[in-house]
Amino acid sequence: MLPRKRTLTIPEPEFQALVQEALDGLPDEYAKLITNVAVVVEEEPPPEVLADLEMEADEDLLGLYQGLSLDKESFFQAGGQLPAKISIYRGPILRLCRTKKEVVQEVRDTVVHEIGHHFGFDDDEMPY
């Protein structure tokens, strides 16, 4: 199935700036705990990610946290662990939102949600 058509257009550099604004808006005590987390903007989630998550064709994935959450990290773990990564998916967010104001809010919510996973929260424990 082809992705739903996007009705709102925000250039990639501007979208990346929105993600950076969301990160810059974090309280200092949280921001310093994500210094080793890569946050990237990707156009769409890879098909293998959607398959791994068993997502339906009509579902949109807005963001993804990959890595070991802080509550699972340990000094005694074997080395070679990849750093944590948060992917924010531009296409699905733009398809979901109708206005730039909605995009700004959704980017912020998605960034905070994925950071929540870094702190060890499950989806059902998130505040929204």
Side-chain angles (χ1 to χ4, degrees), residues 47-63:
E48 59 273 11
V49 167
L50 297 175
D52 287 347
L53 296 173
E54 299 178 357
M55 293 186 68
E56 299 294 326
D58 61 345
E59 292 180 284
D60 278 326
L61 182 64
L62 306 181

Side-chain angles (χ1 to χ4, degrees), residues 10-21 40-42 90:
I10 294 179
E12 187 175 347
E14 186 177 344
F15 191 90
Q16 288 179 351
L18 295 176
V19 172
Q20 188 59 52
E21 287 174 23
V40 299
V41 173
E42 297 181 40
R90 180 174 167 258

